Amino acid sequence: MQNLGVAITGSGSAAPSTCLDNETLSQLVETSDEWIASRTGIRQRRLAQASESLSAIATSAAKEAIAMAGISPLDVDLIILATSTSDDLFGSACQIQTQLGAINAVAFDLTAACSGFIFGLVTAAQYIRTGVYQNVVLIGADVLSRWVDWQDRRTCVLFGDGAGAVVLQAHQSDRLLGFEIRSDGTQNSSLNLSYSPQSQQLMPGVAVGKGNFQPITMNGKEIYRFAVQKVPEVIDKALFRANLSVDAIDWLLLHQANQRILDAVADRMNIPSHKIISNLAKYGNTSAASIPLALDDVVRTGQIKNGDIIAASGFGAGLTWGAVIFQWGV
């Protein structure tokens, strides 16, 4: 098969209409707007109502990306949904395929938590580079409000719901310039949304687990330390693979977890603050959705120009982390 290049030609985003700001949140748990904003940079977050599905939000984002790329849902060969909060534990990508009318597309879910979109970019690129598929829709979407303990101020102030999507297409030149992805399961306990089994006796000597998933738990100090150390390293490795220096970066696009992390990573890499893309004040931490949500914001406001070089990095549960260096557009 002929090896092809990869171009990212469209973006889209969607978020629930319900907005929970810090002032309102302080009525639910002991906190304040000043406390949250000074420590995280977050001012508000979007929350899905009980009647809203992840697949519907993700489909809206995908439709926008497909329209910007100038293709039809019938042209889509593959749909990858990066999520940890699917509507169905068996996966939601096929529901999105149906809602898009992308009847020719293969669809599957990918789970790598807050690194999911970065892992999805790398995965999608392999299908295109080997000539298997021409048009791939990658969606990062999460509805973390389903799994938040709203009495735990260490976590409930952080998370929000949303979706972002991009279209990747085969192209004569390769705009995905370099990447590096990593995992370390020894630190898994730092961030969890874990299953808690309860024994159910079927018959004498035979008991099975039938339990529930527990709310998100996180060691914030460990995650901060991990991100500030590992993200600059992995971006440097991706830049090395792309044969580029830090000075070549036009935009730094990190997982929108905490403004302090964004600023610390930029400072360690000597990247000026005006190159940092940040919208977490409006959305909070949307996990796999955060990078494409932030990307779509700056694309649609015209801040990102065709050919701009973006260093994108995700990090989170697993623990997983990774970086991709790419040029926007064709």
Side-chain angles (χ1 to χ4, degrees), residues 226-243:
F226 148 74
V228 171
Q229 177 189 351
K230 296 298 186 181
V231 170
E233 290 177 2
V234 81
I235 293 174
D236 276 338
K237 288 186 179 347
L239 284 167
F240 176 78
R241 295 183 187 281
N243 196 27

Side-chain angles (χ1 to χ4, degrees), residues 14 32 42 58 149 201 240 258 270 300 302 306:
S32 68
I42 299 167
D149 177 355
Q201 196 78 25
F240 176 78
N258 185 309
N270 294 314
R300 291 184 183 272
N306 197 53

